[in-house]
Amino acid sequence: MPPSSLTLFSVSPGSPEPLYRQLMDQIRRLVAGGQLAPGDDLPSVRDLAQSLTLNPMTVSKAYGLLEMEGVLQRRRGLGMQVAGAQGKPALDVAARLELLRPILERAALEARQLELDSNFVLELFQQIFEEKT
Amino acid sequence: MPPSSLTLFSVSPGSPEPLYRQLMDQIRRLVAGGQLAPGDDLPSVRDLAQSLTLNPMTVSKAYGLLEMEGVLQRRRGLGMQVAGAQGKPALDVAARLELLRPILERAALEARQLELDSNFVLELFQQIFEEKT
Amino acid sequence: MPPSSLTLFSVSPGSPEPLYRQLMDQIRRLVAGGQLAPGDDLPSVRDLAQSLTLNPMTVSKAYGLLEMEGVLQRRRGLGMQVAGAQGKPALDVAARLELLRPILERAALEARQLELDSNFVLELFQQIFEEKT
Amino acid sequence: MPPSSLTLFSVSPGSPEPLYRQLMDQIRRLVAGGQLAPGDDLPSVRDLAQSLTLNPMTVSKAYGLLEMEGVLQRRRGLGMQVAGAQGKPALDVAARLELLRPILERAALEARQLELDSNFVLELFQQIFEEKT
DNA sequence: GTGGTCTAGACCACA
DNA sequence: GTGGTCTAGACCACG
């Protein structure tokens, strides 16, 4: 159970989404996608806060709420780690797609409001998707 | 340019979305969808506020911000109306696609964190895009 | 004393400046510059209002205030005309330059806030000035 | 990034210019002139409101609009600060000149209505421009 | 009649 | 502590 890299994480201070919530969503996705596996250690509150230039309380709040959800578990004196198999089984593709649905709906809404053609939008999306891979 | 009906509008006070923002989104959509055409009058601040049981300032804030965006136009002493073609030079397709880029990048990021395959994601996106059209 | 042409006048509804005041300033300038000479007839309230798509009351207010200032004079049943020599003598160049000073100061202020070099600004100004002549 | 002093700010309640707009203009000028540098903190809404004996909402309105313009940046729970270089890509000279064009066109129009010679006008403009620098 | 500004005072979410 | 939202109610300029 290797410690997870700091480079997995990022937040956008400009977004209307609260910072602690951005973090929570992100960790949930990383766990669902398997990039954070059960037993993996998470970065310490202090390290992650420094790396993202956040207030440590913000990171702590995200960790705390995810612990309540059962996604993470606190091991006294050792930091947080991803909850084991008894917490939640890894999600299959269909379930992970469902997690993606909200943002796709929002993007589709914006595209329609911009009166954009489906083909152009899909093409741009594919291009963005692949270039950063 | 008939006055637009009060019945076009509604807000949900329970939503986390601020009331003035709900109104803005709604008006933008009505304009984009053609239910409010350039030159149409909007309900007066007071009428709309009363109809939605809102404070007039809340409506006024929405109107004011939409004026700054170029969606609406003030006619002094006469009320607001939907901005005509001269209001916005009408962005071309490429420019509008650029406006969409940020949310697509965010969606792509989330999809990658979920370890989802590009094909599945694009398919879901297309389906969402087209079903609501 | 020919009737003055409707084409001399214009207003910008988008400006923060009240419409009646825009009209007043404009007429004062046209009189100061000699394009409206003492004895010249002004367009009727109705004609001018229609030509500028203004409320006739707005035009009437401008005319009324200029009458109080002595710039215009009302001739019963015949409309307004530019006040004669006894009203105000034509302004010399220095005086007319003074009337221009406020907007030049405002333009200079904006240019400085934009950190623009005096040479570039003057060049653009000259170009604009001459192309529309 | 030191907190900016309260003593930098002032408003005149007697002016026809709205208070929030006076504040906006002042902050824009302070930023343009370098007295407020990117990264500097602004006084808190409450502090500035008390110092100017304004309602906090008035200050908040000014801050909010400047944020929309990209001049200021919100740091949640920490207050506002002057937007950094990444906020605005810093317009080049040509683009900034374009922002100046509307007022120069208006000034040229007024000058023509006053039947003023281009040389006199440019000379006065240059004089005004340079004396206040 | 229209919208715009301002105040006072309350409540909320975020860090 | 920070800013954001909303209300109630007042006053103003404009048309």
Side-chain angles (χ1 to χ4, degrees):
Chain A
M1 12 180 148
S4 64
S5 168
L6 285 171
T7 64
L8 286 171
F9 304 91
S10 69
V11 290
S12 11
S15 154
E17 187 85 353
L19 300 172
Y20 79 93
R21 192 166 282 281
Q22 289 182 44
L23 245 188
M24 287 175 67
D25 288 345
Q26 200 165 129
I27 293 172
R28 270 198 226 98
R29 281 193 300 273
L30 290 167
V31 170
Q35 294 179 58
L36 287 179
D40 280 0
D41 285 322
L42 280 112
S44 79
V45 167
R46 257 198 286 278
D47 286 355
L48 188 50
Q50 187 179 12
S51 150
L52 300 175
T53 58
L54 291 180
N55 189 311
M57 266 190 53
T58 306
V59 177
S60 180
K61 183 171 183 176
Y63 279 7
L65 290 170
L66 286 171
E67 188 195 6
M68 283 179 47
E69 281 185 17
V71 175
L72 301 183
Q73 83 196 108
R74 196 176 300 267
R75 293 175 57 231
R76 302 207 277 204
L78 298 173
M80 308 290 294
Q81 67 175 207
V82 178
Q86 76 280 25
K88 272 190 181 177
L91 297 174
D92 64 13
V93 171
R96 280 178 281 149
L97 271 175
E98 280 316 299
L99 291 179
L100 197 64
R101 183 183 287 272
I103 191 166
L104 293 184
E105 280 177 344
R106 175 130 195 94
L109 175 67
E110 290 193 13
R112 270 182 256 116
Q113 289 182 347
L114 287 167
E115 307 247 275
L116 284 166
D117 184 80
S118 141
N119 289 334
F120 289 140
V121 173
L122 285 165
E123 191 182 340
L124 176 60
F125 188 36
Q126 179 164 25
Q127 176 194 322
I128 289 171
F129 201 147
E130 285 164 1
E131 84 192 5
K132 294 252 177 99
T133 302
Chain B
M1 12 178 150
S4 65
S5 167
L6 284 172
T7 64
L8 285 172
F9 305 91
S10 68
V11 290
S12 0
S15 157
E17 187 83 351
L19 300 171
Y20 79 91
R21 199 164 273 285
Q22 288 181 45
L23 247 186
M24 288 176 67
D25 288 344
Q26 196 163 41
I27 293 171
R28 267 197 231 97
R29 240 172 286 134
L30 289 167
V31 170
Q35 293 171 270
L36 287 179
D40 281 359
D41 286 321
L42 281 117
S44 84
V45 167
R46 292 158 173 80
D47 285 355
L48 188 50
Q50 187 179 14
S51 149
L52 300 175
T53 57
L54 291 180
N55 187 295
M57 255 197 82
T58 305
V59 177
S60 180
K61 183 172 183 178
Y63 278 9
L65 290 171
L66 286 171
E67 189 201 1
M68 283 186 48
E69 282 186 15
V71 176
L72 302 183
Q73 210 168 356
R74 247 175 59 214
R75 288 169 60 230
R76 301 212 275 221
L78 300 174
M80 312 289 292
Q81 67 175 207
V82 178
Q86 79 278 26
K88 260 191 182 171
L91 298 172
D92 63 13
V93 171
R96 280 178 285 151
L97 270 176
E98 280 315 301
L99 292 177
L100 198 64
R101 182 183 286 272
I103 192 166
L104 292 183
E105 280 177 343
R106 175 146 183 80
L109 173 67
E110 292 196 8
R112 270 182 255 115
Q113 290 181 339
L114 285 165
E115 302 255 285
L116 284 165
D117 183 79
S118 146
N119 288 334
F120 290 141
V121 173
L122 286 166
E123 191 183 341
L124 176 59
F125 187 35
Q126 179 163 26
Q127 176 194 322
I128 288 171
F129 201 148
E130 285 164 1
E131 83 192 4
K132 295 252 177 98
T133 303
Chain C
M1 10 176 149
S4 63
S5 167
L6 285 172
T7 65
L8 286 171
F9 304 92
S10 69
V11 289
S12 10
S15 156
E17 187 86 351
L19 300 172
Y20 79 93
R21 192 166 280 282
Q22 288 182 44
L23 246 188
M24 288 177 66
D25 289 346
Q26 199 163 129
I27 292 171
R28 270 199 225 97
R29 280 192 301 272
L30 290 167
V31 170
Q35 295 180 59
L36 287 178
D40 280 359
D41 286 321
L42 280 114
S44 80
V45 167
R46 255 198 287 279
D47 285 355
L48 187 50
Q50 187 179 13
S51 150
L52 300 175
T53 57
L54 291 180
N55 189 312
M57 268 189 52
T58 306
V59 178
S60 180
K61 183 171 184 177
Y63 279 7
L65 290 169
L66 286 171
E67 189 195 6
M68 285 180 46
E69 280 186 17
V71 176
L72 301 183
Q73 85 196 109
R74 197 177 299 267
R75 294 174 58 231
R76 302 208 276 204
L78 297 173
M80 308 289 293
Q81 67 175 206
V82 178
Q86 76 278 25
K88 272 191 180 175
L91 297 174
D92 64 11
V93 170
R96 279 178 282 149
L97 271 175
E98 281 314 301
L99 290 178
L100 197 64
R101 183 183 286 273
I103 192 166
L104 292 184
E105 281 178 343
R106 174 130 195 96
L109 174 68
E110 290 193 13
R112 269 182 257 116
Q113 289 182 348
L114 286 167
E115 308 248 274
L116 284 166
D117 183 80
S118 145
N119 288 334
F120 289 140
V121 173
L122 286 166
E123 191 182 340
L124 176 60
F125 188 34
Q126 179 164 26
Q127 177 193 321
I128 288 171
F129 201 146
E130 285 166 0
E131 84 192 3
K132 295 251 177 101
T133 304
Chain D
M1 14 180 149
S4 64
S5 168
L6 283 173
T7 65
L8 286 171
F9 305 91
S10 69
V11 290
S12 358
S15 157
E17 187 84 351
L19 300 172
Y20 78 91
R21 199 164 273 285
Q22 288 181 46
L23 247 186
M24 288 176 67
D25 288 345
Q26 196 163 40
I27 292 172
R28 267 198 231 97
R29 241 173 285 133
L30 289 168
V31 170
Q35 294 171 270
L36 287 179
D40 280 0
D41 286 322
L42 281 115
S44 83
V45 167
R46 291 158 172 82
D47 286 355
L48 188 50
Q50 187 180 12
S51 149
L52 300 175
T53 57
L54 291 180
N55 186 296
M57 254 197 83
T58 305
V59 177
S60 179
K61 184 173 182 175
Y63 278 9
L65 290 172
L66 286 172
E67 190 202 1
M68 282 186 48
E69 281 186 16
V71 176
L72 301 183
Q73 211 166 356
R74 247 175 57 214
R75 287 170 60 231
R76 301 212 276 222
L78 301 173
M80 311 287 294
Q81 69 175 206
V82 178
Q86 79 279 27
K88 261 192 181 173
L91 298 173
D92 64 12
V93 170
R96 280 178 285 150
L97 270 175
E98 279 315 300
L99 292 178
L100 198 64
R101 182 182 286 272
I103 193 167
L104 292 184
E105 280 177 345
R106 174 146 185 81
L109 173 66
E110 292 195 8
R112 271 181 254 117
Q113 290 181 339
L114 285 165
E115 301 254 287
L116 284 165
D117 184 79
S118 143
N119 288 334
F120 289 141
V121 173
L122 286 166
E123 193 182 340
L124 175 59
F125 188 36
Q126 179 164 25
Q127 177 194 321
I128 288 171
F129 201 147
E130 285 164 2
E131 83 192 2
K132 295 253 177 97
T133 302

